[in-house]
Amino acid sequence: MNYYVNCNAAVSGDGSKDKPFKRIQQAADKAMPGDEIIVAEGVYYEEVSPVTAGTEKAPIVYKSEKPLGAVITGACSISNWDNYKDDTWVVKIPNNVFGTYNPYTTLVFGDWLNANITCHTGEVFINDKSLYEVETLEEVLGPKFNEIAWDRDFTKHTWYTCQSEEEDATLIYANFQGKNPNEENVEITVRPHCFYPQAEHINYITLDGFKVTKAATQWAPPTALQDGMIGPHWSKGWVIENCEISHSKCSGISLGKHKQPGNDNKWSHYKYKDGAQTQRDCALIAQLEGWSKETIGSHIVRNCDIHDCGQTGIVGNLGCVFSIIENNHIHHINNKRNLAGAEIGGIKFHAAIDVVIRNNHFHDCTRGIWLDWQTQGTRVSSNLFHDNCLSRDHLLTKESKDGLGLGEDLWIEIAHGPTLVDNNIMLSERSVKLPTQGVAFVHNLFGGAITAVGRGVKNGTTQYDSTRYTPIHLPHRTEIVGFMSVLHGDVKFYNNVFVQQKVRQGMIDICAEDKDGEWDDGNLIVGTLSYNGYMTEEEWKSHFKGYCGEGSTDTRDKYYMPLPVWTGGNVYFNGAKPCDIEEDYTVDTEHEVTLKLVEKDGVYMVESELYKYLPKCNIISSDDLGIAFEPEERYENPDGSDIILDIDINGNSRADNPVAGPFAK
């Protein structure tokens, strides 16, 4: 059955085509498996909460009649501002307007948030640009440039909120820099979500073709209920496609965790147990509560434009398992820099078991993708990354890092794999941050460095052991079979192209501060040289020839050595450097090559001479990649079939012309 919704209808009808509902929620309350809700063009000021699940064969579909014509917003327009002084205006809003959730009394809060700046979940917008919250009225009256925000010139548009001393009301002061807010499109966010079920297990919902924007979302760490403007809320089988998703205070889409009442932001509330331990608890509790392949995950996010969110474009711990993220444009994430800490990136996933992230475009984020813990069966394939960093020269100061690091295209942290990274183009100054093991890099183009190799296992102590242990799962399942720390190594590099690009002096200066850090090494040299000193497989195996058991004089150090590294078919240009155990490789010292990213009519191309100089290589398959050491799981597809890397980033066969890098021709 089809239900129709049109916010511009004179009166709300029965949901028929001739008498449509005025609100999407009215259709959501009626819809049953197999139904389609067709939403007319217009702006829908509501928080839609699906109440009935679809089924795998009969999902409930919410569809914008005109692509991107139906807008679901968590904001409301404000046009009754009074001039307070000069460019500063004030509005008074009775608190009963907000109902049970007032974003202007609710602080952004949660584990792994750097809460050195007071920040509310609400936002103020003028003409679809969000103003910068400050902590005092004086900073609104006399604003200064915010030197760590990307759009520095707009940062004097400031706002401040407090509660009225005279009545039960919220006051918002804003500096609109000479514009009259009553003559412009000024909005404030008032709802915590736009499309998000209140109940768990509302399975098999499709959201197609909407603009979703401006919600007062909460910080989404892995140890809490993870909020997003859109989210399945601990369900299975959602499809989010052809949408534009923007301007969430924190996260745009959450595929993440449900609320565990006894372990919700526990580190922030209960200071006596470390966050790494509460995160381990989250996974174990979820397993006891029924987290499995049959009940959670298997979502699809595709063909979406996701941008201008404060924390992440897509976030998810545990609930993202078995999902596909494809053909999305994810950009300008965390550019305001009003939020800092961990959990920030275009995508931030924990436990991305059998998740496939492919054919996406990541740029102008402080970090492209961050995969944290349990990257077992994860594949990152055929993505374009560039300008994911502190990418403006005026940001390159020690203060600008603010606990976040310098950013990179891809960060894989403290996991055991198997994780396959293939056919990607990574052009930022730092391509990969790699304090982990169990990763295979095949047919990638690296224009930036590999950093943080051998780091990140210790958890911040100076006197005691704080080794981080992360879960290991059954292959292609969620069931936990053990925990282990990261030994490092167990990394494979085949048929990659490494090109040293020119690095800004500011990056060189700021990276020098990190060369001895636990979380970074400040490396800016492109290549595999970070693995100097690691062993080949043969050298590693030679340590295990003797018996090591009760009564043996042999130590057990060999069980805790760094694991071996495998290489082959890699090519190095412009001074990019191989590691000291590199095999079957080419260092081209004769040709200087450039990498130039060119955009025309929305299509991106890499202009480079390097393909004139690439030698032939071998096609790599699951048999070549073998297993990841700790889980003893093959590099294979989620269904257990072999991977054969004979198709390039553009879908072309490389069978007749196997050369290094992501392009067959």
Side-chain angles (χ1 to χ4, degrees):
M1 182 173 181
N2 290 347
Y3 290 101
Y4 293 85
V5 182
N6 189 338
C7 62
N8 297 309
V11 295
S12 189
D14 58 9
S16 64
K17 191 169 185 177
D18 294 333
K19 298 178 180 179
F21 293 128
K22 284 182 69 71
R23 297 175 62 247
I24 302 171
Q25 187 63 50
Q26 292 173 288
D29 291 339
K30 295 281 188 181
M32 299 300 290
D35 290 347
E36 184 169 328
I37 297 168
I38 301 168
V39 182
E41 185 175 4
V43 180
Y44 295 82
Y45 297 94
E46 57 179 306
E47 178 180 343
V48 181
S49 175
V51 295
T52 303
T55 67
E56 185 173 8
K57 293 183 178 180
I60 297 176
V61 177
Y62 295 73
K63 186 177 181 65
S64 175
E65 187 173 39
K66 177 183 177 182
L68 303 183
V71 181
I72 306 174
T73 179
C76 71
S77 297
I78 300 292
S79 58
N80 58 331
W81 296 85
D82 294 319
N83 185 256
Y84 181 77
K85 182 180 180 182
D86 299 329
D87 291 334
T88 297
W89 299 68
V90 63
V91 65
K92 181 187 294 183
I93 305 170
N95 283 334
N96 59 14
V97 169
F98 296 107
T100 59
Y101 179 75
N102 185 341
Y104 304 93
T105 58
T106 304
L107 294 177
V108 178
F109 171 83
D111 293 348
W112 286 282
L113 172 69
N114 285 6
N116 56 331
I117 299 174
T118 300
C119 190
H120 292 86
T121 57
E123 292 268 38
V124 179
F125 292 84
I126 181 169
N127 301 327
D128 293 323
K129 292 195 71 171
S130 60
L131 280 67
Y132 288 73
E133 184 178 5
V134 291
E135 297 184 70
T136 65
L137 177 57
E138 287 69 26
E139 292 171 278
V140 178
L141 295 168
K144 297 179 180 179
F145 287 119
N146 183 334
E147 297 293 343
I148 68 171
W150 288 39
D151 189 0
R152 174 183 180 272
D153 292 342
F154 193 76
T155 59
K156 284 191 174 182
H157 292 74
T158 55
W159 67 276
Y160 165 73
T161 187
C162 63
Q163 291 298 291
S164 171
E165 296 180 357
E166 300 171 353
E167 54 190 295
D168 186 20
T170 293
L171 298 175
I172 299 175
Y173 299 85
N175 190 321
F176 294 103
Q177 290 293 299
K179 291 185 177 179
N180 183 337
N182 298 319
E183 297 175 356
E184 307 290 336
N185 177 27
V186 174
E187 300 169 285
I188 64 170
T189 50
V190 293
R191 286 174 284 276
H193 315 103
C194 292
F195 193 91
Y196 191 93
Q198 294 181 16
E200 299 173 10
H201 303 296
I202 306 298
N203 301 329
Y204 298 107
I205 300 293
T206 294
L207 185 71
D208 183 2
F210 288 82
K211 280 188 178 181
V212 183
T213 188
K214 301 186 182 79
T217 49
Q218 183 56 277
W219 181 252
T223 48
L225 168 66
Q226 290 189 304
D227 266 347
M229 285 199 302
I230 303 171
H233 191 188
W234 206 241
S235 299
K236 182 176 181 179
W238 277 43
V239 177
I240 302 166
E241 59 186 353
N242 308 316
C243 293
E244 182 181 353
I245 298 157
S246 69
H247 297 99
S248 172
K249 179 69 177 199
C250 293
S251 293
I253 297 173
S254 171
L255 305 180
K257 198 176 73 62
H258 62 316
K259 185 174 183 178
Q260 297 172 334
N263 194 27
D264 189 62
N265 280 318
K266 188 172 185 177
W267 190 21
S268 296
H269 291 294
Y270 181 78
K271 306 292 185 181
Y272 309 107
K273 183 180 283 189
D274 183 75
Q277 180 60 39
T278 62
Q279 166 60 3
R280 283 187 287 268
D281 293 347
C282 281
L284 291 166
I285 293 168
Q287 183 171 276
L288 292 172
E289 293 174 340
W291 174 51
S292 72
K293 188 173 185 177
E294 288 71 33
T295 58
I296 298 296
S298 297
H299 307 298
I300 297 173
V301 180
R302 63 188 171 205
N303 303 327
C304 292
D305 182 9
I306 305 170
H307 61 93
D308 289 289
C309 298
Q311 179 190 342
T312 65
I314 310 175
V315 72
N317 176 29
L318 307 177
C320 64
V321 291
F322 314 112
S323 295
I324 297 173
I325 314 298
E326 63 181 355
N327 300 321
N328 300 290
H329 185 193
I330 302 177
H331 56 104
H332 296 93
I333 303 298
N334 191 236
N335 284 185
K336 289 182 70 176
R337 299 301 308 279
N338 58 326
L339 300 175
E343 320 314 322
I344 283 174
I347 292 176
K348 175 64 196 284
F349 284 160
H350 284 75
I353 298 169
D354 280 3
V355 169
V356 177
I357 303 172
R358 64 190 178 203
N359 300 319
N360 302 285
H361 182 189
F362 298 87
H363 66 93
D364 291 286
C365 304
T366 48
R367 174 169 294 111
I369 301 174
W370 186 352
L371 302 174
D372 206 348
W373 295 32
Q374 302 148 276
T375 58
Q376 197 165 324
T378 312
R379 185 172 180 181
V380 180
S381 181
S382 301
N383 301 284
L384 170 62
F385 300 87
H386 61 93
D387 296 295
N388 297 304
C389 189
L390 303 181
S391 67
R392 303 292 180 267
D393 286 339
H394 71 267
L395 296 176
L396 296 177
T397 65
K398 183 176 181 180
E399 290 73 21
S400 69
K401 290 191 296 183
D402 197 22
L404 179 65
L406 292 174
E408 56 282 317
D409 290 328
L410 172 64
W411 183 359
I412 307 174
E413 182 179 2
I414 307 300
H416 305 103
T419 306
L420 177 59
V421 181
D422 69 279
N423 287 301
N424 299 283
I425 300 171
M426 294 180 278
L427 299 180
S428 300
E429 288 164 309
R430 292 152 53 97
S431 290
V432 183
K433 195 170 185 178
L434 207 58
T436 195
Q437 66 187 50
V439 186
F441 295 91
V442 187
H443 281 292
N444 300 287
L445 173 57
F446 289 86
I450 297 171
T451 72
V453 168
R455 312 293 172 113
V457 173
K458 295 179 181 179
N459 203 30
T461 57
T462 58
Q463 300 182 55
Y464 306 103
D465 177 43
S466 60
T467 302
R468 291 199 284 173
Y469 291 84
T470 58
I472 301 162
H473 302 263
L474 284 173
H476 312 300
R477 300 288 305 177
T478 60
E479 288 83 359
I480 297 170
V481 296
F483 290 83
M484 185 56 187
S485 64
V486 167
L487 304 177
H488 300 292
D490 192 23
V491 178
K492 301 169 184 183
F493 293 95
Y494 294 121
N495 302 346
N496 302 286
V497 175
F498 297 89
V499 181
Q500 181 71 57
Q501 300 184 92
K502 185 177 180 181
V503 179
R504 295 168 294 166
Q505 186 60 47
M507 281 291 289
I508 295 172
D509 294 341
I510 197 170
C511 281
E513 301 171 1
D514 288 328
K515 61 184 177 64
D516 298 319
E518 172 56 26
W519 305 101
D520 209 328
D521 59 5
N523 179 50
L524 289 168
I525 300 174
V526 178
T528 59
L529 81 162
S530 294
Y531 285 95
N532 281 351
Y534 282 72
M535 291 178 281
T536 64
E537 182 181 13
E538 293 73 20
E539 291 171 327
W540 177 73
K541 284 183 174 179
S542 69
H543 290 269
F544 294 86
K545 291 182 178 179
Y547 171 70
C548 183
E550 197 69 32
S552 172
T553 58
D554 193 7
T555 72
R556 299 191 184 182
D557 290 346
K558 58 193 174 186
Y559 293 103
Y560 301 93
M561 300 183 301
L563 298 164
V565 173
W566 291 260
T567 63
N570 300 309
V571 186
Y572 299 83
F573 290 95
N574 297 2
K577 298 184 183 301
C579 65
D580 55 10
I581 58 167
E582 191 91 22
E583 298 178 348
D584 182 27
Y585 65 100
T586 301
V587 176
D588 190 316
T589 58
E590 182 180 354
H591 306 103
E592 186 83 10
V593 301
T594 58
L595 299 175
K596 184 179 180 182
L597 189 65
V598 178
E599 183 269 332
K600 184 177 181 180
D601 298 328
V603 177
Y604 285 78
M605 296 173 286
V606 177
E607 292 184 354
S608 181
E609 312 88 346
L610 66 87
Y611 274 81
K612 298 177 183 178
Y613 314 123
L614 293 180
K616 296 282 187 177
C617 64
N618 297 318
I619 291 177
I620 301 298
S621 69
S622 292
D623 288 341
D624 300 300
L625 298 175
I627 65 170
F629 174 77
E630 204 61 60
E632 301 179 19
E633 180 180 339
R634 292 179 81 234
Y635 287 86
E636 61 189 13
N637 289 310
D639 63 2
S641 62
D642 283 358
I643 294 171
I644 302 174
L645 291 162
D646 58 353
I647 302 297
D648 78 353
I649 189 173
N650 289 325
N652 298 312
S653 172
R654 55 169 53 100
D656 297 328
N657 187 39
V659 294
F663 298 106
K665 58 185 178 181

